[in-house]
Amino acid sequence: MKHKKIAFFLLPLLLGIIAMSLLQGNQTSEIEEHRTDLYTMNTLISMTMWGVNSQDAIAQGQDLLYRLDHRFSVTKEDSEVSYLNENTGNWLPISTALEEVLYFSRQFAIDTNFSFDPTVSPIVKAWGFTETSNQVPSFEEIQALLPLVDASLIEIDHMSHEIYLPEGMKVDLGAVAKGYAVDELILIMDANNVVSASIDLGGNVYVRGTKMDGTLWNVGIQNPYGAGYVGAMQLQDKAIITSGGYQRYFTEAGNTYHHIIDPRTGYPADSNLASVSIVSDSGMRGDALSTALFVMGKEEAIEYWRRYQNFDMILICEKGNVHITPELEGNFSLVKGYSQGELQVIS
Amino acid sequence: MSEEKQTEVIEEKNQETKSGDEFEFQTWRKENRKPLTLMISLVLLSMVGIWYTQTLAEQDIVTVYVQGEKLFQVDLSSVKESYTYDVVQGSHFNQILFETNAVSVVEANCPDQVCVLQGKSSEAGRPIVCLPHQVLIEFVSEGDEFDAVVG
């Protein structure tokens, strides 16, 4: 009788343990999860992928990122971009990757009325944002640098794959390179049948498919006014990227100077936005859009969105109000405790 | 005609036996209702128990990565007395402080000091990153709140 009682309690416990291990075992029997963290492209990159060939996809992704860093880095002396910047005034052969990114950047600069410009880097450097210490450059210094900040002067020969930069011009693809990497990673995941993935290139996020439990990815947006978050949205198959003046800035003589330089003035963008987050199918366009729309400011950004309506955005105003595009309504919600402003849907 | 009748008879018989089985099952269930529910709830309870202990255990474990390589893991909830660990790579140096339920980089000779300025991280919080020295301290489960964060 005693044995029976013990068996009566042990049997279900055993059954439960077996059931649980079966449940967990099934998830990993065919679809494998693979994850990697690496430091390249000037940031910490983490990728997690699920799929039968996810290990191959991760390996190819790592290769790709190291290769792209070698092409696009402005700090590495032997990168392709450094080679271009040091040999301006000549027609130079370039890789297809660089040709694609520079062509996109030039067209995008023209399309956004130069609120984005890949040739702004000498001015960013003068402000010290790519250096170890910051300073406010003199008005004369900025005026002297401005004539060479003009992406429309970049000439590309698509037949011979050659490029011409006017003498003294410097390109910096920091605002699009990670987005381009996201797009290339998507191709790798397509080729390797990755069913689900979460990729984070230092804030350039891409979520693929649903999570393995079938739910959408929950992506949070950081509060530009301090610790914590503004809101969160549930997404799949989207690239998400945020630009904001709060990310990097310095104070001098009581004034605050942030790192997003308006290419038209040479000064930190006088934006009435605290941050811009773009939700888009394309990583590169999303990356460039977040910078351009921050520089534009709220009104112009909304106008730009109305013209295309093929991406979504979350604008956080200086006063704290949050504006979202209609597609995000129902997906996006403010976190409890965000009291700086209210949620408004752009129409 | 006769074939149809025959099948009808067979069907009737089948129905009889079916209802008979059902009746027996009903009485069996009535007799064993209490032990049965108890057994099912015990199965469920053990499953929930396993799930709970697994998620609970992941909450406070941090992994230290150096140059992308996993160095070691620490369960912060089991840290009784705080201690430091020095990550030394040539001239690069980061001192990590492990405390009960918290981790921080207290000293480093990296140029930007971002890792030191971040302060303490706890409860499946944001990872601590030293980009120049390629040191990463990350919670094993990043918490249930978000899968990714932009900003």
Side-chain angles (χ1 to χ4, degrees):
Chain A
M1 196 58 199
K2 221 177 182 182
H3 285 292
K4 250 191 180 172
K5 257 190 181 168
I6 292 169
F8 180 82
F9 279 99
L10 276 182
L11 195 71
L13 283 175
L14 212 69
L15 272 174
I17 291 164
I18 291 166
M20 202 64 198
S21 61
L22 277 178
L23 266 177
Q24 291 179 335
N26 273 348
Q27 287 171 355
T28 51
S29 61
E30 283 189 4
I31 289 179
E32 289 181 18
E33 174 188 343
H34 283 280
R35 185 203 164 123
T36 186
D37 293 294
L38 63 156
Y39 299 85
T40 186
M41 301 186 87
N42 257 330
T43 190
L44 167 69
I45 295 173
S46 64
M47 305 189 278
T48 315
M49 298 182 189
W50 287 262
V52 182
N53 298 327
S54 56
Q55 192 164 15
D56 293 344
I58 289 272
Q60 289 169 28
Q62 273 185 340
D63 268 9
L64 169 93
L65 293 168
Y66 287 128
R67 251 185 295 129
L68 290 184
D69 185 43
H70 194 70
R71 295 217 181 285
F72 296 142
S73 172
V74 282
T75 46
K76 281 197 174 125
E77 281 173 21
D78 59 348
S79 76
E80 197 177 357
V81 165
S82 297
Y83 169 74
L84 287 187
N85 286 339
E86 277 151 30
N87 296 286
T88 52
N90 300 299
W91 279 96
L92 301 166
I94 52 167
S95 65
T96 43
L98 196 55
E99 184 181 336
E100 197 182 323
V101 176
L102 275 170
Y103 176 73
F104 167 83
S105 301
R106 184 184 69 185
Q107 300 316 109
F108 190 80
I110 295 165
D111 189 55
T112 56
N113 242 328
F114 298 94
S115 41
F116 162 91
D117 199 309
T119 64
V120 75
S121 71
I123 295 184
V124 177
K125 198 175 173 182
W127 284 90
F129 285 112
T130 45
E131 312 296 301
T132 42
S133 67
N134 294 113
Q135 68 278 327
V136 180
S138 70
F139 180 75
E140 289 74 23
E141 195 182 343
I142 288 172
Q143 294 312 307
L145 291 169
L146 268 180
L148 279 170
V149 179
D150 186 352
S152 66
L153 299 176
I154 299 174
E155 290 179 65
I156 302 171
D157 184 339
H158 293 295
M159 297 301 284
S160 61
H161 304 292
E162 287 184 317
I163 191 166
Y164 181 88
L165 301 178
E167 219 175 321
M169 183 182 266
K170 299 259 182 289
V171 292
D172 183 344
L173 300 170
V176 283
K178 281 183 239 143
Y180 176 76
V182 166
D183 292 341
E184 292 293 301
L185 286 170
I186 294 173
L187 295 179
I188 287 177
M189 291 190 288
D190 286 344
N192 288 287
N193 299 316
V194 171
V195 289
S196 170
S198 150
I199 290 164
D200 188 346
L201 283 76
N204 257 279
V205 168
Y206 180 77
V207 288
R208 181 181 180 90
T210 62
K211 286 190 277 182
M212 290 316 285
D213 62 5
T215 59
L216 297 176
W217 297 94
N218 194 19
V219 181
I221 294 179
Q222 219 182 312
N223 188 344
Y225 301 103
Y229 308 93
V230 169
M233 52 203 158
Q234 287 72 48
L235 299 168
Q236 69 178 71
D237 296 316
K238 291 287 178 201
I240 312 101
I241 171 72
T242 298
S243 280
Y246 69 97
Q247 289 161 335
R248 208 153 69 237
Y249 60 88
F250 69 95
T251 339
E252 193 175 298
N255 292 316
T256 302
Y257 302 95
H258 64 75
H259 74 292
I260 303 175
I261 304 294
D262 187 335
R264 297 161 296 197
T265 64
Y267 283 85
D270 185 18
S271 178
N272 54 3
L273 294 170
S275 85
V276 175
S277 300
I278 304 289
V279 180
S280 146
D281 295 329
S282 156
M284 178 153 67
R285 183 159 178 253
D287 205 353
L289 273 172
S290 69
T291 310
L293 267 51
F294 178 85
V295 171
M296 284 179 190
K298 183 183 145 198
E299 289 73 21
E300 213 186 318
I302 291 176
E303 218 158 276
Y304 186 90
W305 172 80
R306 284 202 183 109
R307 191 139 49 96
Y308 290 94
Q309 303 205 7
N310 56 2
F311 64 92
D312 286 296
M313 61 183 186
I314 300 110
L315 306 177
I316 301 171
C317 296
E318 263 184 335
K319 286 168 194 150
N321 282 345
V322 180
H323 300 265
I324 60 168
T325 45
E327 278 283 303
L328 290 176
E329 205 183 352
N331 282 340
F332 179 92
S333 54
L334 294 175
V335 294
K336 282 175 203 154
Y338 181 77
S339 54
Q340 281 98 329
E342 46 190 57
L343 186 64
Q344 286 162 10
V345 180
I346 300 162
S347 52
Chain B
M1 277 295 274
S2 60
E3 268 182 26
E4 268 180 28
K5 265 187 182 174
Q6 262 186 342
T7 48
E8 265 175 34
V9 171
I10 290 166
E11 269 173 21
E12 264 174 34
K13 267 189 179 173
N14 275 349
Q15 270 177 358
E16 264 175 34
T17 48
K18 249 187 203 168
S19 57
D21 277 348
E22 219 158 82
F23 176 73
E24 274 173 27
F25 178 67
Q26 290 286 351
T27 45
W28 180 83
R29 221 175 64 171
K30 257 180 201 164
E31 281 167 5
N32 295 284
R33 178 165 284 163
K34 268 187 185 165
L36 203 67
T37 31
L38 194 67
M39 243 166 126
I40 290 169
S41 47
L42 270 173
V43 169
L44 288 175
L45 207 74
S46 66
M47 284 172 81
V48 168
I50 290 169
W51 172 79
Y52 184 74
T53 45
Q54 279 179 350
T55 45
L56 200 73
E58 279 182 0
Q59 285 288 315
D60 253 356
I61 296 173
V62 286
T63 313
V64 178
Y65 296 89
V66 174
Q67 306 275 351
E69 297 287 324
K70 194 169 160 181
L71 206 64
F72 56 85
Q73 281 192 332
V74 175
D75 183 357
L76 296 177
S77 60
S78 69
V79 176
K80 298 276 185 295
E81 256 177 61
S82 47
Y83 64 96
T84 58
Y85 180 89
D86 296 346
V87 179
V88 182
Q89 315 168 66
S91 62
H92 291 171
F93 163 78
N94 298 69
Q95 190 174 61
I96 307 169
L97 173 65
F98 296 100
E99 294 165 275
T100 317
N101 300 321
V103 62
S104 54
V105 174
V106 281
E107 210 185 324
N109 60 356
C110 54
D112 59 12
Q113 296 286 306
V114 167
C115 55
V116 179
L117 293 171
Q118 191 178 331
K120 284 180 191 175
S121 204
S122 60
E123 275 175 60
R126 288 179 75 82
I128 300 175
V129 182
C130 178
L131 212 53
H133 294 179
Q134 308 208 347
V135 175
L136 164 67
I137 307 161
E138 192 182 43
F139 285 85
V140 168
S141 110
E142 282 185 5
D144 299 322
E145 208 181 353
F146 301 116
D147 304 308
V149 170
V150 289

